[in-house]
Amino acid sequence: EVPLVESGGGSVQAGESLRISCTDSSGFPLAASAMGWYRRKVGNPCELVASRKQDGTTTYADFVKGRFTLSLDNGKNAMYLQMNNLKPEDTAVYYCSESTSIIGESNCWSQGTQVTVSS
C-alpha cells in the first residue's frame, strides 16, 4: 500500500485555481525527503511538475512556472500544489512522490487526484 495520498482535485474553468494536497498516511515527515508533484495526461508518460529538495529549494517545469506553487506545511505533514490560471492542457491526474533523478512510472504510482480544466 502506497502511503502517499493526494486530494483536492476537481473540475474547473480555464483561468480558475485549485489547490491539491499530499499527505503521508504512514506519518513519515515529508520535509525529510526530496518530494515532487508529477502528473500524467491521458496517453502520455508521467512528467515532473514541481519538486522540492530537503533544503527547501523548489523547481518548476517550464509549463507551470509563474502559475503553480509548491509548499509544505510541517505541522500538518502535508505538501500542497497551488495551481493558478489553470489551462485546459493542465488536465491530468496529479501525483506526489519522492523526487527522483530519473522520472518513471513509480512517480505516478499512488492513487492521484484528477484535475480537469475546461475552456
Side-chain angles (χ1 to χ4, degrees):
E1 181 181 343
V2 180
L4 295 172
V5 180
E6 302 89 348
S7 62
S11 296
V12 297
Q13 298 286 319
E16 294 184 341
S17 300
L18 272 177
R19 188 180 78 160
I20 56 177
S21 303
C22 170
T23 56
D24 188 318
S25 62
S26 72
F28 184 83
L30 295 177
S33 295
M35 297 294 299
W37 282 102
Y38 299 80
R39 71 185 187 188
R40 179 161 52 206
K41 302 180 182 182
V42 173
N44 285 13
C46 185
E47 61 182 358
L48 175 67
V49 176
S51 62
R52 177 189 181 278
K53 295 181 179 179
Q54 289 158 299
D55 65 2
T57 305
T58 54
T59 58
Y60 299 91
D62 287 344
F63 51 78
V64 302
K65 278 182 182 176
R67 300 188 298 124
F68 289 14
T69 303
L70 184 157
S71 63
L72 209 67
D73 185 328
N74 292 330
K76 296 182 178 180
N77 196 31
M79 182 172 71
Y80 303 102
L81 187 67
Q82 176 67 44
M83 304 182 291
N84 297 330
N85 190 22
L86 282 160
K87 303 176 180 180
E89 52 265 41
D90 294 319
T91 295
V93 179
Y94 285 72
Y95 303 85
C96 62
S97 81
E98 286 195 60
S99 179
T100 55
S101 57
I102 298 175
I103 300 168
E105 287 307 303
S106 62
N107 297 113
C108 292
W109 195 249
S110 48
Q111 70 175 29
T113 187
Q114 175 72 48
V115 172
T116 302
V117 185
S118 55
S119 57

